[in-house]
Amino acid sequence: MSKFYLRYFANDNERVTTVMLPGDRTFPQSIGDASVQTGYYTVIDDKGRPSDAAEQALSLVEAHAATAWREVAAGVWPLPDEHRESMAAWIALQLLRGTSVRDSMSELASHALLLEVIVGGRRKLRDVLIAAGEPIDDDTVNREWVELFRDPIRAEARAEHHMQHLARLLPRATQSLLDRTWLLTVYERKALATSDHPVYVVPNEESTRMGMGTGIENATVIHAPLTRRHSLAMYQPSAVPPELTTRRRDIRWPGVTATALYSNSCAVNSARRFLFHHPDDAPLAGFDPPQPREREVAVNAQLWNWITEDDRQVLLDAGFGPDDLAALLEQ
């Protein structure tokens, strides 16, 4: 979380109110403490030494974005191209840098490993044991087969993997945001909250009906609270509300109670661990914050049925059944 960003939700003493999900703990916090992620972006360089090069690169994006935020807070809209690009880069960065992305990478890799085990079955396991010079009698193979489910192999994305992923996608994600129509909503009295994942990709209803997910490029709307008085909605050009289609590409609009509620609902839905707001505000009144998000990737396939009947029977004989596999996928 960027310190400059949280400053727009803080009081004159640079303190915010932090709400820890599921909302049963609320406390004041300095923006310095709220924004710290010690070592999260530290990578290992080609000489095997810790490096803060990624952190330095990210700080350049934040420095440019801070200027754009000052312009918005001062009433400038539309933004000049230079500041618009800086804001788009920062918003794209939030969609790619957070724990949600790294956790997704780890979960996807772990699921892929488990799927490889399931598809390969005991036949593939026996080949692996032969290659390793291990015993391949039936008792050993069956025992190792059950152990692959009792204590499955877990993959963990490191900072290096995450930063390579970010560097590869950031230019494209930034351009995707620049190509959208931006709607700035300005509030005179209503107040906004934000979260540890401040940018919310609003689910694409058509994609959802088709059983597909929503990403940066196919999202109808991408929403972000910019300050406690400003929110930004970034629309696909074809999805701009009819009453706004005759206006310029970047629009300013007065905020009302309904849009403030919508913005704060986006903050609640995007949060993983924390919500933040100005100490004098109560933007979350009436909301029921969710539990902290433990998983990023949902697996809907009935993987138990992908296991051959003989291999399933070995698992069942060891007391491991379909409900155990479902629970495994939810961990």
Side-chain angles (χ1 to χ4, degrees):
M1 177 65 68
S2 301
K3 187 176 180 179
F4 89 83
Y5 172 74
L6 282 179
R7 188 170 285 120
Y8 289 97
F9 298 86
N11 62 16
D12 292 341
N13 295 323
E14 297 200 335
R15 297 178 74 78
V16 294
T17 294
T18 297
V19 179
M20 182 179 293
L21 299 184
D24 50 2
R25 185 182 174 201
T26 299
F27 52 91
Q29 190 175 33
S30 72
I31 60 174
D33 290 339
S35 61
V36 67
Q37 281 185 303
T38 304
Y40 191 72
Y41 302 107
T42 300
V43 300
I44 304 302
D45 64 19
D46 54 6
K47 296 181 180 179
R49 298 177 301 194
S51 169
D52 63 353
E55 185 69 56
Q56 293 178 18
L58 298 182
S59 68
L60 291 176
V61 176
E62 294 186 349
H64 290 298
T67 303
W69 256 256
R70 286 195 293 270
E71 293 287 286
V72 170
V76 176
W77 195 265
L79 289 173
D81 286 347
E82 177 185 1
H83 298 324
R84 191 177 192 269
E85 291 170 7
S86 297
M87 182 171 284
W90 186 89
I91 292 173
L93 184 62
Q94 306 321 300
L95 291 167
L96 297 172
R97 75 184 293 182
T99 57
S100 61
V101 174
R102 194 178 301 183
D103 290 347
S104 294
M105 295 171 69
S106 297
E107 290 173 25
L108 286 169
S110 295
H111 291 158
L113 288 171
L114 181 59
L115 184 59
E116 185 175 348
V117 168
I118 289 173
V119 172
R122 287 181 299 156
R123 176 187 55 77
K124 178 64 175 179
L125 173 59
R126 192 181 299 271
D127 292 341
V128 171
L129 292 174
I130 290 173
E134 298 291 334
I136 57 168
D137 58 277
D138 289 346
D139 287 344
T140 298
V141 171
N142 290 348
R143 184 172 60 252
E144 294 293 336
W145 171 245
V146 172
E147 189 63 21
L148 285 172
F149 291 86
R150 296 244 185 247
D151 186 19
I153 301 170
R154 299 288 187 184
E156 182 176 357
R158 300 194 303 268
E160 296 81 35
H161 304 138
H162 189 181
M163 293 303 99
Q164 290 168 3
H165 176 77
L166 187 156
R168 184 170 63 253
L169 294 185
L170 184 59
R172 179 174 174 178
T174 300
Q175 188 59 54
S176 177
L177 299 180
L178 287 170
D179 292 341
R180 290 172 173 263
T181 296
W182 292 15
L183 171 64
L184 180 74
T185 304
V186 183
Y187 299 88
E188 297 295 333
R189 293 184 300 275
K190 294 298 180 181
L192 306 181
T194 189
S195 78
D196 51 4
H197 285 67
V199 183
Y200 182 56
V201 178
V202 180
N204 184 312
E205 293 183 3
E206 182 177 349
S207 295
T208 300
R209 284 196 300 269
M210 297 172 63
M212 299 168 57
T214 303
I216 297 173
E217 294 195 354
N218 73 329
T220 305
V221 187
I222 293 175
H223 183 275
L226 301 184
T227 78
R228 64 190 285 230
R229 303 295 185 197
H230 300 84
S231 67
L232 180 64
M234 313 172 87
Y235 286 89
Q236 287 182 342
S238 61
V240 177
E243 62 270 23
L244 305 178
T245 54
T246 59
R247 297 172 177 264
R248 66 180 71 188
R249 179 178 64 169
D250 289 351
I251 307 154
R252 185 202 306 265
W253 200 253
V256 295
T257 299
T259 54
L261 287 170
Y262 175 75
S263 176
N264 290 325
S265 72
C266 289
V268 170
N269 288 331
S270 66
R272 264 58 176 186
R273 294 287 185 273
F274 302 104
L275 290 156
F276 307 102
H277 62 79
H278 191 284
D280 294 341
D281 299 336
L284 301 175
F287 285 96
D288 186 15
Q291 293 291 326
R293 192 176 302 186
E294 301 296 340
R295 297 170 56 235
E296 295 293 337
V297 179
V299 178
N300 296 319
Q302 300 299 315
L303 296 185
W304 180 258
N305 296 327
W306 294 25
I307 305 174
T308 66
E309 183 177 353
D310 289 346
D311 288 345
R312 285 202 304 264
Q313 190 59 54
V314 172
L315 293 173
L316 289 169
D317 290 344
F320 187 96
D323 290 343
D324 299 299
L325 179 57
L328 188 64
L329 293 168
E330 293 177 359
Q331 292 177 1

